Amino acid sequence: MIKIGLIGAGFMGGTHSACYESLQDIGGFKVTAIADIDYDRAVKLAGKFGAKVYSTGKELIENGDVNTVDICLPTFLHAEHALLAMEKGNNVFIEKPVCLHEEEACRLLQMKQETGAKVAVGHCIRFWPEYVYLKKLIDNKTYGRLISGVFKRISPRPLWGWDQWLSDGKRSGSAALDLHIHDVDYVRYILGIPVDIKGEITSIDGNNEHIFSLYKYEGAVVSIEGGWDYPSGMPFEMEYRVRFDKATVIFNSGRTPSLILYNEDGTITQPAPEQEFNAESEGLGGNLSSLGGYFNEIRYFLECLKNGDDIKIAPLEEGIESFRLIMREIKAAEK
């Protein structure tokens, strides 16, 4: 039995909780413990599972009846808790970005090697239906080679985080690391490490609030934009536009239809990638409109644990390589 300890009962912890609720029919796992410094919030989530409540993540790791730890804490607390969980013998799911500093990355990799823990990182875009669809087009060369791509992720200011931690670059890494990393990770996932990187950053009060990057590949170029410096009334949007030899595919989460394929012969189609799960977010807040990729990544993680399989889609090593790439990008932009 997979016994899960969920650390963090805020926006993302609530999202993961909703995923576990929806997955209970598959069996083989149970949420046995939940921790949060907001004890009442933890109690509310724990009531859905009959889980024991702890005041801190460290207390849960030390005393909880768990063998798997799901870390949904602010980024500056990720590495510390993941290291403790692995050292205690647990498998681990860590929300993205996996860490803030290279030293943390090295320690995490070393601890995983020493303990043999299975560790996944929450790069949910790898599991989002429209992005899964795009990867299949690229892998199968359905419309020939990829010539160019534009990826964008913009958001109103993230005021929903505990203690305004998202707005503090020293605790979140700012928009460049927390928000923009979704597309950086995905582009690396589909195309690998770029030959060259150029970038520009808009900073407010020392925090990187908006970043524009250009990735050069052999035979292809990709631009990536990410920022959360918009007013609260402006909607969150994630978007891509990818040009192939024989077609162009466009996705925009804020439009209907959200996914359109323009063929070279002038015809237009509306692909409908399988929505494995698309439940409403149940008022969890943030910029979430459906559980989509969150549900799919949690289900994949549980299936890997149940079957004893290695985590291949978003393991710790992949999360760290994307962290390293975006740190390289930030340095390029700051120059």
Side-chain angles (χ1 to χ4, degrees):
M1 172 68 73
I2 302 167
K3 299 178 181 180
I4 298 167
L6 177 62
I7 301 178
F11 164 50
M12 193 50 63
T15 300
H16 284 210
S17 171
C19 292
Y20 290 125
E21 276 191 276
S22 300
L23 282 161
Q24 287 186 95
D25 288 347
I26 72 172
F29 80 93
K30 184 177 181 181
V31 177
T32 57
I34 294 179
D36 197 283
I37 59 172
D38 185 334
Y39 195 79
D40 291 340
R41 189 190 292 264
V43 167
K44 184 178 179 180
L45 285 190
K48 300 178 180 181
F49 307 100
K52 188 168 182 179
V53 177
Y54 293 90
S55 298
T56 69
K58 292 179 181 178
E59 185 183 359
L60 182 153
I61 293 168
E62 186 63 32
N63 302 314
D65 179 22
V66 302
N67 52 36
T68 301
V69 173
D70 183 342
I71 300 170
C72 293
L73 293 168
T75 303
F76 71 101
L77 298 171
H78 285 181
E80 176 185 7
H81 285 79
L83 290 167
L84 288 172
M86 284 190 275
E87 190 172 26
K88 193 71 174 178
N90 297 294
N91 296 310
V92 180
F93 188 103
I94 315 172
E95 257 307 322
K96 53 61 40 201
V98 64
C99 60
L100 286 175
H101 307 290
E102 176 61 26
E103 179 185 357
E104 293 175 326
C106 293
R107 290 173 62 202
L108 287 165
L109 289 173
Q110 182 179 355
M111 183 64 75
K112 181 189 175 186
Q113 184 176 16
E114 291 175 357
T115 62
K118 295 183 185 297
V119 185
V121 180
H123 283 297
C124 62
I125 297 304
R126 295 187 179 206
F127 295 86
W128 219 270
E130 290 82 3
Y131 290 80
V132 172
Y133 166 79
L134 177 59
K135 187 173 189 301
K136 288 179 180 177
L137 295 186
I138 294 167
D139 291 347
N140 297 332
K141 293 183 172 55
T142 307
Y143 298 102
R145 65 189 177 92
L146 186 152
I147 298 172
S148 65
V150 176
F151 293 82
K152 182 172 73 172
R153 189 167 305 268
I154 57 173
S155 170
R157 294 182 183 90
L159 303 178
W160 55 83
W162 162 80
D163 194 35
Q164 298 298 301
W165 72 272
L166 284 162
S167 300
D168 179 357
K170 293 181 179 178
R171 294 189 289 173
S172 69
S174 299
L177 186 59
D178 188 90
L179 178 76
H180 184 58
I181 197 171
H182 277 300
D183 295 296
V184 169
D185 173 75
Y186 182 77
V187 170
R188 192 184 67 78
Y189 181 48
I190 59 175
L191 295 175
I193 299 293
V195 174
D196 187 45
I197 296 175
K198 290 183 174 62
E200 295 288 341
I201 288 180
T202 298
S203 295
I204 302 175
D205 296 328
N207 294 323
N208 298 328
E209 301 289 79
H210 212 117
I211 185 165
F212 302 84
S213 299
L214 196 65
Y215 284 16
K216 183 178 180 181
Y217 291 90
E218 293 294 340
V221 64
V222 172
S223 73
I224 314 175
E225 175 190 356
W228 62 23
D229 52 344
Y230 293 104
S232 59
M234 190 166 173
F236 166 82
E237 283 190 357
M238 56 181 177
E239 177 181 2
Y240 64 70
R241 182 176 74 250
V242 175
R243 173 80 166 92
F244 294 98
D245 282 321
K246 300 176 183 178
T248 296
V249 60
I250 297 177
F251 166 69
N252 185 299
S253 63
R255 300 174 188 168
T256 303
S258 60
L259 187 63
I260 302 176
L261 183 73
Y262 296 89
N263 295 286
E264 285 299 292
D265 63 5
T267 59
I268 301 172
T269 57
Q270 296 175 15
E274 183 179 358
Q275 300 286 334
E276 296 181 353
F277 189 79
N278 202 37
E280 293 302 314
S281 64
E282 303 179 24
L284 292 171
N287 56 25
L288 184 60
S289 61
S290 95
L291 293 178
Y294 297 107
F295 175 90
N296 296 334
E297 69 178 355
I298 294 291
R299 181 174 66 179
Y300 172 77
F301 178 60
L302 292 174
E303 288 176 346
C304 286
L305 296 186
K306 287 171 63 176
N307 299 328
D309 296 334
D310 290 335
I311 295 163
K312 295 180 179 179
I313 296 182
L316 176 64
E317 293 83 356
E318 286 285 291
I320 285 175
E321 283 305 305
S322 291
F323 159 75
R324 286 171 171 165
L325 177 58
I326 200 164
M327 295 308 288
R328 174 186 163 194
E329 178 185 323
I330 292 170
K331 287 181 181 180
E334 288 176 342
K335 289 181 181 179

